């Protein structure tokens, strides 16, 4: 009898109880980020509480559908890796501008639909650019993704941006307690429990937070039991040239970010992303963005938060994240469940986020360990790319005097650092060096050009 071919860890289906636990862990890791975009855009447009709640449930529903498309896949849509999908923050500023200058939500949704179609059409082109991402570039991009996420975890740990008690010692103490629980479970618990260390840390943190007054579940009673997002709830989309152009710039940024995230997950799961699978993943992004425009929400991209969770837990099954997508669909259809998850206080998420996002940065360093830094310019490529990527994270207003399209590209540390790494790698490792500009070679060592593929 022939021995069946071994199943790759990405395609393994864990037992049902593990699927549920691992999937819920992914949902909790990305929930705050997922609902932040509709809250920011809706708040800037001064929407009513009912409309804000509608935006959030619509967002959760499409987040779930988008995640299922990406993980499970059909035809040429979906990378079929453990990738969570959520609303991109790169679109926030352009959407606020479109929504508050007369176009309203219909103009936002019209531009989102066009951007989604553009992503679908451009996906094969981006797939062919994968050769521009050797370990030198991918390691740098993964490092930038992790470093750029750390301030998000820091803000959560301090109480959440805009909270009245931001930075209070009690918030940081709660975050530190959750971090200690996560680390303790990882170090001392059995294997299965160590893989849901983040979920356990959040659960224990919530149990401690409730009696100390960090949160309450008052909003759960006010939430509806069932809520279904219908197409074009806020009116038929309108297609305005200026809105479409700005959203097309966002589309290019999100494609760059998603490329970095897909490559990162491919490295962590030992299933490297190929040009075809990259195109399939980007095509899924485009389809999800079109669905976002139809079902009253926004552009979608891969969520880097969950990239860190894959690396930290070493659970590589795409069916785990597909289960998380199913949970998000339920949260989008059952607002009362969504209200329960929303009651988790920010410091609890912050404690878990510190280790998750740090794991992404550490994974970038691991990829860079494959690169030869001796007698070449690779260290310069990494140094300048990280500096450019971290600049808007450390100084958020650094580009506020520049045109909107420039801000859209460069305010995303991930896209800014990624573009810089690609350009510098081409400059130093692919273009012919002028006399006297090359780094002297040691006997028997490869040249800088050879290192481009290192």
């Amino acid at each position: 009898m022939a021995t069946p071919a071994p199943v790759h860890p990405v395609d393994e289906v864990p037992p049902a109880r593990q699927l549920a636990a691992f999937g819920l862990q992914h949902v909790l890791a990305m929930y705050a980020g997922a609902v932040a975009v509709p809250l920011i855009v809706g708040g800037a447009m001064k929407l009513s509480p009912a409309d804000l709640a509608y935006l959030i449930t619509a967002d959760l529903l499409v987040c779930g559908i988008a995640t299922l498309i990406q993980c499970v896949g059909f035809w040429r849509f979906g990378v079929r890796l453990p990738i969570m999908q959520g609303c991109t923050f790169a679109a926030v500023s352009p959407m606020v501008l479109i929504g508050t200058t007369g176009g309203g939500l219909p103009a936002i949704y019209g531009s989102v639909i066009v951007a989604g179609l553009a992503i679908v059409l451009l996906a094969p082109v981006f797939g062919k650019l994968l050769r521009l991402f050797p370990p030198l570039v991918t390691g740098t991009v993964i490092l930038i993704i992790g470093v750029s996420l750390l301030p998000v975890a820091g803000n959560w740990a301090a109480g959440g941006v805009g909270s009245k008690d931001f930075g209070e010692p009690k918030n940081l103490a709660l975050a530190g307690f959750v971090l200690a629980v996560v680390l303790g479970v990882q170090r001392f618990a059995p294997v299965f429990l160590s893989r849901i260390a983040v979920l356990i840390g959040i659960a224990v943190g919530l149990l401690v937070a409730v009696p100390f007054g960090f949160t309450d579940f008052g909003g759960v009673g006010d939430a509806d039991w069932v809520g279904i997002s219908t197409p074009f709830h806020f009116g038929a989309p309108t297609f305005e040239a200026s809105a479409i152009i700005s959203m097309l710039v966002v589309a290019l940024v999100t494609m760059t970010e998603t490329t970095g995230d897909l490559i990162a997950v491919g490295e962590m799961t030992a299933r490297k992303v190929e040009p075809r699978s990259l195109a399939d993943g980007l095509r899924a992004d485009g389809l999800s963005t079109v669905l976002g425009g139809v079902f009253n929400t926004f552009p979608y991209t891969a969520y880097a938060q969950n990239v860190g969770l894959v690396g930290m837990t070493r659970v590589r099954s795409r069916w785990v994240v597909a289960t998380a997508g199913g949970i998000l669909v339920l949260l989008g259809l059952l607002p009362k469940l969504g209200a329960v998850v929303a009651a988790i206080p920010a410091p609890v998420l912050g404690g878990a986020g510190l280790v998750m996002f740090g794991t992404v940065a550490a994974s970038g360093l691991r990829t860079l360990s494959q690169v030869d830094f001796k007698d070449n310019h690779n260290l310069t490529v990494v140094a300048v790319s990280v500096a450019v990527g971290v600049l808007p994270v450390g100084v958020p207003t650094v580009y506020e005097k520049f045109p909107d399209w420039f801000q859209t590209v460069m305010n995303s540390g991930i896209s800014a650092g990624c573009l810089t790494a690609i350009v510098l790698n081409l400059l130093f490792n692919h273009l012919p060096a002028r006399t006297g500009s090359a780094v002297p070679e040691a006997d028997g060592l490869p040249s800088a050009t050879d290192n481009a593929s290192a």
Side-chain angles (χ1 to χ4, degrees), residues 28 32 150-182 198 201-210 212-216 341-357:
L28 296 178
L150 286 173
V152 176
N155 283 323
W156 286 346
V161 176
S163 63
K164 294 179 181 178
D165 60 351
F166 185 86
E168 288 283 346
K170 64 175 185 177
N171 292 332
L172 295 170
L174 178 58
F177 171 73
V178 171
L179 176 60
V181 171
V182 171
V198 170
I202 291 174
V204 173
L206 185 59
L207 289 175
V208 171
V210 172
F212 283 95
F214 281 90
T215 188
D216 66 75
V341 177
I344 297 173
V348 171
L349 296 174
L354 286 171
V355 65
M356 287 192 303
F357 303 162

Side-chain angles (χ1 to χ4, degrees), residues 350-449:
L354 286 171
V355 65
M356 287 192 303
F357 303 162
T359 299
V360 179
S363 298
L365 293 175
R366 182 175 59 190
T367 301
L368 287 173
S369 68
Q370 306 169 24
V371 178
D372 185 0
F373 287 100
K374 191 174 182 181
D375 296 324
N376 56 48
H377 297 287
N378 289 341
L379 193 62
T380 300
V381 174
V382 175
V384 176
S385 301
V386 171
V388 172
V390 172
L391 186 59
V393 177
V395 190
T397 57
V398 65
Y399 298 122
E400 66 177 9
K401 303 297 184 184
F402 286 75
D404 291 338
W405 67 266
F406 186 89
Q407 292 186 50
T408 300
V409 175
M410 298 302 291
N411 274 339
S412 166
I414 298 171
S415 65
C418 181
L419 292 173
T420 304
I422 292 172
V423 170
L424 292 182
N425 179 53
L426 292 174
L427 176 65
F428 285 112
N429 292 329
H430 288 275
L431 294 182
R434 292 184 178 180
T435 303
S437 65
V439 174
E441 293 179 37
D443 291 339
L445 287 177
S447 66
T449 305

Side-chain angles (χ1 to χ4, degrees), residues 154-421:
N155 283 323
W156 286 346
V161 176
S163 63
K164 294 179 181 178
D165 60 351
F166 185 86
E168 288 283 346
K170 64 175 185 177
N171 292 332
L172 295 170
L174 178 58
F177 171 73
V178 171
L179 176 60
V181 171
V182 171
L183 295 177
V185 171
Q186 267 206 304
R187 175 64 182 85
F188 299 109
V191 174
F192 169 68
L193 291 180
S194 70
R195 289 178 173 174
I196 55 170
V198 170
L199 178 60
I200 293 173
I202 291 174
V204 173
L206 185 59
L207 289 175
V208 171
V210 172
F212 283 95
F214 281 90
T215 188
D216 66 75
F217 293 93
V220 177
D222 299 331
D224 296 327
W225 278 104
V226 179
I228 300 175
S229 178
T230 55
F232 307 125
H233 173 80
F234 295 98
T238 59
F239 300 92
E240 300 181 7
S242 59
I244 290 171
I245 291 170
S246 64
M247 206 55 66
L248 288 175
V249 174
V250 170
L252 293 174
V253 172
T254 58
M255 291 178 82
T256 305
E257 291 182 344
T258 296
T259 298
D261 290 331
L262 296 187
I263 291 172
V265 171
E267 295 271 352
M268 292 175 179
T269 58
R271 177 176 277 180
K272 286 207 167 190
V273 173
E274 303 294 338
R276 175 175 174 137
S277 56
L278 173 59
D280 292 347
L282 293 172
R283 202 177 280 113
D285 260 16
L287 175 59
S288 302
T289 297
V290 172
L291 291 175
V294 172
F295 286 95
N296 320 293
T297 178
F298 307 116
Y300 285 84
T301 188
Y303 254 33
Q305 290 96 313
N306 298 85
V307 174
L309 191 56
V310 171
M312 176 189 152
T313 62
R314 298 185 296 282
V315 176
R316 296 180 279 178
S317 172
R318 61 191 172 105
W319 298 105
V320 163
V321 181
T323 302
I327 294 172
L328 284 171
V329 170
L330 281 177
L331 293 176
L333 294 175
L334 303 173
K336 201 172 284 291
L337 283 180
V340 172
V341 177
I344 297 173
V348 171
L349 296 174
L354 286 171
V355 65
M356 287 192 303
F357 303 162
T359 299
V360 179
S363 298
L365 293 175
R366 182 175 59 190
T367 301
L368 287 173
S369 68
Q370 306 169 24
V371 178
D372 185 0
F373 287 100
K374 191 174 182 181
D375 296 324
N376 56 48
H377 297 287
N378 289 341
L379 193 62
T380 300
V381 174
V382 175
V384 176
S385 301
V386 171
V388 172
V390 172
L391 186 59
V393 177
V395 190
T397 57
V398 65
Y399 298 122
E400 66 177 9
K401 303 297 184 184
F402 286 75
D404 291 338
W405 67 266
F406 186 89
Q407 292 186 50
T408 300
V409 175
M410 298 302 291
N411 274 339
S412 166
I414 298 171
S415 65
C418 181
L419 292 173
T420 304

Side-chain angles (χ1 to χ4, degrees), residues 82-99:
I83 291 286
M84 287 291 289
Q85 297 283 108
C87 281
T88 175
F89 283 85
V92 169
S93 295
M95 289 192 301
V96 168
L97 188 64
I98 296 167

